[in-house]
Amino acid sequence: MTRPMSLPALSMIAACALPVIGHSQADKAWPHGSFTGVFDKMQVTLTCDSLRACEYTFGPGDAAVQPVLRRRARDIAPVDAQVANNNLTYTREAVQADPALYTGREGPVLADLRPVLESQARYRQCVSTADGDWGPLCQLDITKPGLPDAVLLVPTMNPTCNGQAFCAYYAVPLRRQTGG
């Protein structure tokens, strides 16, 4: 007679069998749902209605005003988190070397990201579009109060990293919306 598996054993098998499910959100398929944040005074909304299709919206935050940018992507797939983690390390080192960056031109973006920068968090996994139009959407490897539920990386188009707070990507912390 075989003994039924324990709940922790079943959870471990499920987490290994489905790599797109977040370790702290085993009951929710990550990045399925809606996330919002603010980037340079614009509301950022990302809604993934499946594990492969997401809509990105950048706008003023007023539902009556047309969004500045809206794009639906149906080719979302996992990507290597190494470049995103390298960018995170670069930004951490930049603000540690020059805390005045928090009050400079990119200060508001850095201030929103500060809880991540001051933590030991790294990106656990990232997804992106195959065409590269958008930067990766990444999940942190730790969860604790004050940290975002996801981080959207937006290409900077900076010609060089030297002296910049962000190198390849700006980082936009996002919060999961209830019901999403």
Side-chain angles (χ1 to χ4, degrees), residues 147-158:
L147 290 179
D149 298 309
V151 178
L152 177 64
L153 303 179
V154 179
T156 64
M157 300 191 54
N158 286 337

Side-chain angles (χ1 to χ4, degrees), residues 66-154:
Q66 185 75 0
V68 173
L69 182 62
R70 175 178 277 155
R71 179 164 184 273
R72 183 147 179 87
R74 295 189 184 279
D75 55 354
I76 305 298
V79 295
D80 185 3
Q82 189 61 47
V83 171
N85 276 314
N86 289 346
N87 194 75
L88 177 60
T89 298
Y90 176 85
T91 301
R92 271 193 182 121
E93 290 172 355
V95 296
Q96 286 172 349
D98 185 6
L101 290 170
Y102 282 112
T103 59
R105 183 184 71 167
E106 296 168 336
V109 178
L110 284 169
D112 290 343
L113 190 62
R114 195 172 200 153
V116 175
L117 297 175
E118 292 179 351
S119 75
Q120 296 299 313
R122 295 192 43 83
Y123 299 123
R124 178 176 183 266
Q125 61 185 351
C126 299
V127 296
S128 189
T129 59
D131 61 14
D133 278 356
W134 295 94
L137 173 68
C138 298
Q139 181 185 48
L140 297 173
D141 63 355
I142 60 174
T143 57
K144 67 179 190 178
L147 290 179
D149 298 309
V151 178
L152 177 64
L153 303 179
V154 179

